[in-house]
Amino acid sequence: MIIKTQKPIATSEITDSLVFKRRRQIIKSLLAITGAGVAPAWASETKPLWDNLTQGDFSAHDLTPTPLELIKNYTNYYEFAFNKEDSTDLAQHLAIDPWSVEISGEVEKPVRLHLEDIVRQQTLEERIYRFRCVEGWSMVVPWVGFSLASLLKSVKPLSTARFVKFTTVHQPTVMPNQRNNAMLTWPYTEALRIDEAMHPLTILAVGMYGDVLSKQNGAPLRLVVPWKYGFKSIKAIVKIELLKTPPLTTWNQATPHDYGFYANVNPHVPHPRWSQNSERQLGSHFFTPRRQTELFNGYGEQVASLYRDMDLRHFF
Ligand code: MTE
């Protein structure tokens, strides 16, 4: 993982709408004020039990960001379409202002917060992460976001909180597949174990490539969990619930044999219909060999301890 103080690339992926301009301003000024993570937010905190994990100087490799041009029309957003190009176009209709997020369940202080207030209260950092889709392609993305743990701690999780569930917005008027109830159960939901959610690598992103998130990439707020397959990184989040028991999640519910709850990147556990041994890097030359997929997407040093008691040959 790389945490940078400077924003690298200006994006052209911004609409003219006022809300994007306002959020862009807030994000840019916060990045400037905070020094964008010179000292990671978690570094100085007293750690609760669930944070008893490896932290520190992570040196992941080949972290040259994938050109934005390649990413912006290559998105999975099934509420809009089952192909990548159409979902990018259709996602532009999503209404993202105003946007609020409910945080509830096993917490002392349930709240509903405007996104702007969340962003102001959090320390924005740039995180350059590898991203591996279960379909067998990968990219490197400079996200702008904040620690999920920091947000969760602000509502004081109860000791009964064992899982964290995330829900995408329900906007059937603009999301055609929600209207038709096509293929999946809507709204899209995902979940993590509480220790996964509290891990320092887990972030909520509000931007990428130094600017606000584009709508097709999950604006205005999405999850990013870099050691898991991309479908865990749920977009357009409106609700975060802390729960006692594991919730059903969209893909796991639809096809449990194909898409497990954990979905940790693992080259040794194939998808029922294809190998997960290697990946095509977006932007790589046609003749470039596929990249060897790494266990936990290369973040094993940081996260393997979370799964100490699990037989990884069986968990997907
Ligand atoms: N979130 C929602 N709400 N709906 C989706 O269809 N697709 C997932 C994930 N988050 C999806 C979602 C999948 S399958 C992947 S691979 C990533 O988003 C893709 O993120 P990207 O489009 O920003 O590359």
Side-chain angles (χ1 to χ4, degrees):
M1 180 188 70
I2 289 181
I3 300 175
K4 275 191 147 187
T5 55
Q6 298 293 320
K7 289 172 280 103
I9 311 162
T11 175
S12 56
E13 190 47 42
I14 298 300
T15 72
D16 283 338
S17 77
L18 281 175
V19 58
F20 266 31
K21 282 185 181 159
R22 201 173 65 234
R23 286 204 181 117
R24 189 197 310 174
Q25 244 167 9
I26 293 172
I27 287 168
K28 287 194 164 182
S29 60
L30 282 172
L31 274 171
I33 292 164
T34 61
V38 175
W42 65 82
S44 57
E45 289 171 7
T46 319
K47 290 184 285 169
L49 276 182
W50 56 61
D51 270 5
N52 193 16
L53 305 159
T54 319
Q55 298 172 3
D57 188 16
F58 311 139
S59 48
H61 32 267
D62 51 3
L63 282 175
T64 307
T66 306
L68 176 61
E69 288 303 308
L70 295 173
I71 286 177
K72 65 182 189 186
N73 291 321
Y74 197 83
T75 52
N76 282 338
Y77 212 156
Y78 295 111
E79 286 89 336
F80 292 101
F82 297 120
N83 71 69
K84 294 181 167 50
E85 296 73 22
D86 288 351
S87 59
T88 299
D89 288 346
L90 292 169
Q92 307 316 313
H93 299 297
L94 187 68
I96 59 170
D97 186 37
W99 196 270
S100 61
V101 182
E102 176 192 317
I103 313 177
S104 56
E106 302 296 303
V107 298
E108 250 178 59
K109 297 178 166 182
V111 280
R112 176 184 288 278
L113 292 166
H114 287 295
L115 182 61
E116 277 72 9
D117 294 332
I118 296 179
V119 169
R120 275 198 199 89
Q121 285 161 15
Q122 299 299 322
T123 305
L124 291 189
E125 297 170 4
E126 182 169 79
R127 302 276 184 103
I128 303 182
Y129 282 158
R130 299 186 38 71
F131 184 99
R132 168 65 154 83
C133 178
V134 76
E135 296 164 348
W137 53 266
S138 67
M139 56 188 179
V140 175
V141 183
W143 302 104
V144 176
F146 56 87
S147 146
L148 174 61
S150 163
L151 179 64
L152 294 180
K153 284 174 198 169
S154 71
V155 295
K156 299 198 178 304
L158 300 172
S159 58
T160 45
R162 295 271 178 267
F163 294 88
V164 183
K165 177 183 174 188
F166 306 85
T167 305
T168 291
V169 73
H170 189 63
Q171 275 188 30
T173 47
V174 293
M175 293 174 150
N177 288 333
Q178 284 188 340
R179 221 159 41 231
N180 310 333
N181 247 342
M183 193 164 106
L184 298 169
T185 306
W186 310 105
Y188 196 101
T189 60
E190 256 311 331
L192 298 171
R193 255 179 15 200
I194 187 87
D195 55 348
E196 296 176 322
M198 290 292 189
H199 193 281
L201 288 184
T202 305
I203 60 165
L204 287 174
V206 290
M208 61 198 290
Y209 293 85
D211 226 317
V212 288
L213 275 180
S214 54
K215 291 190 177 181
Q216 66 268 28
N217 292 111
L221 183 71
R222 78 175 285 171
L223 182 68
V224 181
V225 195
W227 70 95
K228 292 180 179 284
Y229 289 116
F231 69 85
K232 298 293 288 184
S233 292
I234 180 173
K235 300 176 175 182
I237 297 169
V238 289
K239 198 197 273 188
I240 301 176
E241 294 164 274
L242 285 81
L243 303 171
K244 291 180 183 166
T245 52
L248 284 176
T249 53
T250 295
W251 282 104
N252 188 227
Q253 187 178 3
T255 54
H257 299 298
D258 297 350
Y259 305 110
F261 174 86
Y262 282 94
N264 291 320
V265 175
N266 189 340
H268 311 300
V269 178
H271 183 279
R273 294 190 298 283
W274 59 85
S275 161
Q276 292 292 18
N277 201 31
S278 66
E279 63 207 47
R280 179 175 64 85
Q281 299 174 84
L282 290 192
S284 61
H285 190 271
F286 184 73
F287 297 110
T288 308
R290 288 168 69 88
R291 181 182 190 275
Q292 177 63 50
T293 293
E294 293 176 82
L295 183 60
F296 299 120
N297 204 21
Y299 298 97
E301 201 183 316
Q302 291 79 44
V303 302
S305 61
L306 292 171
Y307 310 103
R308 205 181 279 124
D309 303 327
M310 287 168 51
D311 181 348
L312 294 175
R313 286 169 307 176
H314 301 299
F315 276 99
F316 167 60

